[in-house]
Amino acid sequence: MVREEWFEKDKPVHASMTNFANLPYIKKGDQVVTESQAILSFMCYEANRADLMGATPMDTVKIIQINGV
């Protein structure tokens, strides 16, 4: 399979706007965010709910730690 078939036929056009086309992504305007944890963070900030990322710095660290497990 040639690159054009992979990126232009089988993948949405905006998937080629990122260096990580095989990862889940979310697109808003010209921005494309990839990687599951980054997408969740993006969604929290877009919803003005940064508190979902932890009420304190230590809470945020614990959330990141749990995500890694």
Side-chain angles (χ1 to χ4, degrees), residues 10-66:
D10 294 340
K11 294 285 185 178
V13 69
H14 42 268
S16 63
M17 295 171 58
T18 176
N19 292 328
F20 308 105
N22 291 332
L23 294 178
Y25 65 90
I26 189 169
K27 182 178 185 295
K28 181 180 180 195
D30 291 338
Q31 296 179 327
V32 177
V33 178
T34 59
E35 200 277 317
S36 298
Q37 183 63 34
I39 290 170
L40 293 174
S41 298
F42 178 78
M43 292 171 63
C44 288
Y45 290 118
E46 283 295 305
N48 291 321
R49 291 296 311 270
D51 60 302
L52 295 176
M53 298 300 298
T56 67
M58 197 56 185
D59 286 346
T60 303
V61 169
K62 288 178 183 178
I63 290 168
I64 294 168
Q65 182 179 12
I66 290 168

